Short mmCIF file of all heavy atoms in Angstrom, two decimals:
data_model
loop_
_atom_site.label_atom_id
_atom_site.label_comp_id
_atom_site.label_asym_id
_atom_site.label_seq_id
_atom_site.Cartn_x
_atom_site.Cartn_y
_atom_site.Cartn_z
N THR E 22 -215.34 126.71 34.28
CA THR E 22 -214.59 125.55 34.79
C THR E 22 -214.23 124.59 33.65
O THR E 22 -214.05 123.41 33.85
CB THR E 22 -215.41 124.78 35.85
OG1 THR E 22 -216.69 124.45 35.28
CG2 THR E 22 -215.61 125.60 37.10
N LEU E 94 -218.35 117.07 35.77
CA LEU E 94 -217.31 116.09 36.07
C LEU E 94 -218.01 114.82 36.52
O LEU E 94 -218.74 114.82 37.49
CB LEU E 94 -216.45 116.64 37.22
CG LEU E 94 -215.29 115.79 37.67
CD1 LEU E 94 -214.11 115.96 36.73
CD2 LEU E 94 -214.85 116.20 39.07
N GLY E 123 -205.88 110.92 30.53
CA GLY E 123 -205.01 112.08 30.35
C GLY E 123 -205.67 113.41 30.68
O GLY E 123 -204.99 114.41 30.86
N ASP E 124 -206.99 113.43 30.79
CA ASP E 124 -207.65 114.70 31.11
C ASP E 124 -207.88 114.88 32.61
O ASP E 124 -207.26 115.70 33.25
CB ASP E 124 -208.95 114.90 30.31
CG ASP E 124 -209.87 113.69 30.33
OD1 ASP E 124 -209.64 112.75 31.11
OD2 ASP E 124 -210.86 113.71 29.56
N ASP E 125 -208.74 114.04 33.23
CA ASP E 125 -209.01 114.28 34.66
C ASP E 125 -208.07 113.54 35.61
O ASP E 125 -208.00 113.87 36.78
CB ASP E 125 -210.48 114.05 35.00
CG ASP E 125 -210.92 112.62 34.75
OD1 ASP E 125 -210.07 111.71 34.72
OD2 ASP E 125 -212.14 112.40 34.59
N SER E 126 -207.35 112.53 35.09
CA SER E 126 -206.26 111.88 35.86
C SER E 126 -206.66 111.36 37.24
O SER E 126 -205.87 111.48 38.17
CB SER E 126 -205.09 112.85 36.05
OG SER E 126 -204.71 113.40 34.84
N PHE E 127 -207.84 110.79 37.39
CA PHE E 127 -208.20 110.26 38.71
C PHE E 127 -207.45 108.97 39.03
O PHE E 127 -207.13 108.70 40.18
CB PHE E 127 -209.71 110.03 38.82
CG PHE E 127 -210.44 111.27 39.20
CD1 PHE E 127 -211.11 112.03 38.27
CD2 PHE E 127 -210.43 111.70 40.53
CE1 PHE E 127 -211.77 113.19 38.64
CE2 PHE E 127 -211.08 112.86 40.91
CZ PHE E 127 -211.75 113.60 39.95
N LEU E 225 -216.71 120.38 40.66
CA LEU E 225 -215.59 121.15 40.12
C LEU E 225 -215.98 122.62 40.24
O LEU E 225 -216.96 123.05 39.63
CB LEU E 225 -215.38 120.76 38.66
CG LEU E 225 -214.18 121.31 37.92
CD1 LEU E 225 -212.89 120.82 38.57
CD2 LEU E 225 -214.22 120.86 36.47
N MET E 228 -211.27 126.50 37.83
CA MET E 228 -210.16 126.02 36.99
C MET E 228 -209.32 127.23 36.61
O MET E 228 -209.86 128.27 36.23
CB MET E 228 -210.70 125.33 35.73
CG MET E 228 -209.60 124.81 34.81
SD MET E 228 -210.25 124.05 33.31
CE MET E 228 -210.87 122.51 33.92
N ARG A 132 -206.40 120.04 42.67
CA ARG A 132 -205.71 119.02 41.89
C ARG A 132 -205.51 119.51 40.46
O ARG A 132 -206.09 120.52 40.07
CB ARG A 132 -206.45 117.67 41.93
CG ARG A 132 -207.88 117.70 41.42
CD ARG A 132 -208.62 116.40 41.78
NE ARG A 132 -207.95 115.20 41.33
CZ ARG A 132 -207.99 114.72 40.08
NH1 ARG A 132 -208.68 115.35 39.13
NH2 ARG A 132 -207.36 113.62 39.74
N GLU A 133 -204.67 118.81 39.74
CA GLU A 133 -204.36 119.22 38.37
C GLU A 133 -205.16 118.41 37.37
O GLU A 133 -205.60 117.30 37.66
CB GLU A 133 -202.87 119.02 38.09
CG GLU A 133 -201.98 119.94 38.92
CD GLU A 133 -200.51 119.69 38.68
OE1 GLU A 133 -200.16 118.70 38.02
OE2 GLU A 133 -199.71 120.53 39.13
N MET A 134 -205.33 118.96 36.19
CA MET A 134 -205.90 118.22 35.07
C MET A 134 -205.05 118.49 33.83
O MET A 134 -204.22 119.37 33.82
CB MET A 134 -207.35 118.65 34.80
CG MET A 134 -208.36 118.05 35.78
SD MET A 134 -210.05 118.64 35.56
CE MET A 134 -210.47 118.01 33.92
N TYR A 135 -205.30 117.69 32.79
CA TYR A 135 -204.61 117.84 31.51
C TYR A 135 -203.09 117.87 31.69
O TYR A 135 -202.39 118.76 31.18
CB TYR A 135 -205.09 119.10 30.78
CG TYR A 135 -206.57 119.12 30.55
CD1 TYR A 135 -207.39 119.99 31.27
CD2 TYR A 135 -207.16 118.25 29.63
CE1 TYR A 135 -208.76 119.98 31.08
CE2 TYR A 135 -208.53 118.24 29.44
CZ TYR A 135 -209.32 119.11 30.16
OH TYR A 135 -210.67 119.09 29.99
N GLY A 136 -202.59 116.91 32.45
CA GLY A 136 -201.14 116.78 32.61
C GLY A 136 -200.48 118.00 33.23
O GLY A 136 -199.34 118.31 32.91
N GLY A 137 -201.21 118.70 34.10
CA GLY A 137 -200.61 119.83 34.82
C GLY A 137 -200.82 121.17 34.15
O GLY A 137 -200.35 122.19 34.64
N LYS A 138 -201.56 121.18 33.03
CA LYS A 138 -201.77 122.47 32.34
C LYS A 138 -202.72 123.37 33.13
O LYS A 138 -202.63 124.59 33.04
CB LYS A 138 -202.33 122.23 30.94
CG LYS A 138 -201.26 121.79 29.97
CD LYS A 138 -201.75 121.78 28.55
CE LYS A 138 -200.57 121.58 27.62
NZ LYS A 138 -200.96 121.29 26.26
N VAL A 139 -203.65 122.78 33.85
CA VAL A 139 -204.56 123.58 34.69
C VAL A 139 -204.62 122.99 36.09
O VAL A 139 -204.35 121.81 36.30
CB VAL A 139 -206.00 123.65 34.13
CG1 VAL A 139 -206.02 124.27 32.75
CG2 VAL A 139 -206.67 122.27 34.12
N GLU A 140 -204.96 123.88 37.01
CA GLU A 140 -205.27 123.44 38.37
C GLU A 140 -206.75 123.62 38.58
O GLU A 140 -207.36 124.55 38.02
CB GLU A 140 -204.48 124.29 39.38
CG GLU A 140 -203.53 123.46 40.21
CD GLU A 140 -202.65 124.32 41.10
OE1 GLU A 140 -203.16 125.23 41.79
OE2 GLU A 140 -201.45 124.07 41.09
N THR A 141 -207.36 122.76 39.38
CA THR A 141 -208.79 122.88 39.65
C THR A 141 -209.03 122.82 41.14
O THR A 141 -208.25 122.23 41.89
CB THR A 141 -209.58 121.73 39.00
OG1 THR A 141 -209.15 120.49 39.59
CG2 THR A 141 -209.38 121.68 37.49
N ASN A 143 -211.99 121.45 43.78
CA ASN A 143 -213.09 120.48 43.80
C ASN A 143 -213.65 120.45 45.21
O ASN A 143 -212.88 120.35 46.17
CB ASN A 143 -212.57 119.09 43.45
CG ASN A 143 -211.79 119.07 42.14
OD1 ASN A 143 -212.32 118.77 41.10
ND2 ASN A 143 -210.51 119.43 42.20
#
Side-chain angles (χ1 to χ4, degrees):
Chain E
T22 55
L94 181 79
D124 48 10
D125 62 22
S126 309
F127 275 102
L225 187 62
M228 180 182 286
Chain A
R132 58 192 305 280
E133 294 178 350
M134 282 176 65
Y135 303 108
K138 283 190 169 168
V139 300
E140 241 174 48
T141 63
N143 307 264

